[in-house]
Amino acid sequence: KDLWQLVTAPNVFPRLHMIDPLHLDSISHDAVVEKWGVSSDKLGDLLALAGDASDNIKGAPGIGPKIAAQLINEFGSLSELLANTDKIKQKKRRESLEEHAENVMLFRQLVALEDTVPVDRMVSSPSFEVVSDARISSFDPSKLVEFYERMELRTCKNDLERRLKSSWINYKQPPTPSDYSNVPF
């Protein structure tokens, strides 16, 4: 879910979708909004406010993802929310935010992703010069297994291998480039 912050809204160019490597589903901006209740550019605000156990982010006590989404949508951003806690009607919610504002802002920094890395500084040299040249290519499971091994992502590697060994009846075919022909770059 951390990487879902990088998914772009429909009006942003180049448009970035993701593919869930375990379920092989497309993750679009609409999917982020459907799952989390906020746009992808506000997902970091939500994770900081509600917490993220997988990253040991505690969030503000008493505020879960649904309430966090409601507050972020109401105030526009985490910064605006924390600057206007006096406008929150629920006393416990207001007090929790006021008491934990400093930690929540620290959590926001911790969940932020570095999105300004130039393409030429990536681990391997890309075969394209600008991001808009990037296209989905056919899926090679061995490359993904190798990547998981190199990054020491054992659970991801084991899940993928288990999935690849499962019967074709239960196996969902990975997307092909033609599945994304309507995604503008």
Side-chain angles (χ1 to χ4, degrees):
K1 67 184 164 236
D2 297 330
L3 293 177
W4 289 25
Q5 295 175 66
L6 299 176
V7 172
T8 57
N11 61 341
V12 174
F13 183 83
R15 195 162 173 199
L16 177 67
H17 287 215
M18 297 180 71
I19 297 175
D20 179 334
L22 294 178
H23 301 102
L24 301 175
D25 294 325
S26 171
I27 301 168
S28 65
H29 183 264
D30 292 342
V32 175
V33 173
E34 183 179 326
K35 170 130 177 98
W36 295 102
V38 295
S39 62
S40 53
D41 62 324
K42 301 294 183 203
L43 186 56
D45 289 355
L46 182 138
L47 295 173
L49 190 55
D52 182 1
S54 65
D55 288 334
N56 202 24
I57 302 293
K58 294 180 182 181
I63 298 182
K66 289 182 182 178
I67 297 298
Q70 176 190 349
L71 291 168
I72 290 166
N73 287 326
E74 181 180 340
F75 288 90
S77 71
L78 181 60
S79 298
E80 283 299 311
L81 168 64
L82 294 176
N84 292 287
T85 55
D86 58 314
K87 296 178 181 169
I88 298 172
K89 295 175 186 169
Q90 297 84 358
K91 182 180 177 186
K92 280 188 173 187
R93 221 176 267 173
R94 181 178 56 251
E95 289 173 349
S96 178
L97 288 171
E98 289 170 348
E99 185 177 336
H100 299 280
E102 188 175 324
N103 283 342
V104 170
M105 288 310 292
L106 172 62
F107 299 151
R108 181 61 183 101
Q109 291 176 358
L110 293 172
V111 300
L113 298 178
E114 178 59 64
D115 61 356
T116 60
V117 177
V119 172
D120 63 350
R121 303 274 322 262
M122 291 181 178
V123 174
S124 61
S125 296
S127 59
F128 53 90
E129 298 205 12
V130 292
V131 174
S132 61
D133 289 341
R135 295 279 186 248
I136 259 182
S137 59
S138 59
F139 177 70
D140 182 354
S142 63
K143 288 183 180 178
L144 186 55
V145 169
E146 178 194 322
F147 172 77
Y148 285 160
E149 283 177 356
R150 200 169 64 245
M151 296 293 121
E152 298 180 16
L153 300 169
R154 292 174 196 81
T155 301
C156 292
K157 177 185 170 267
N158 293 337
D159 288 347
L160 177 64
E161 286 177 335
R162 190 172 25 261
R163 185 174 183 144
L164 292 171
K165 290 175 186 173
S166 69
S167 73
W168 283 103
I169 295 169
N170 296 323
Y171 183 68
K172 182 177 178 183
Q173 284 289 346
T176 63
S178 63
D179 293 334
Y180 293 95
S181 61
N182 64 341
V183 177
F185 282 103

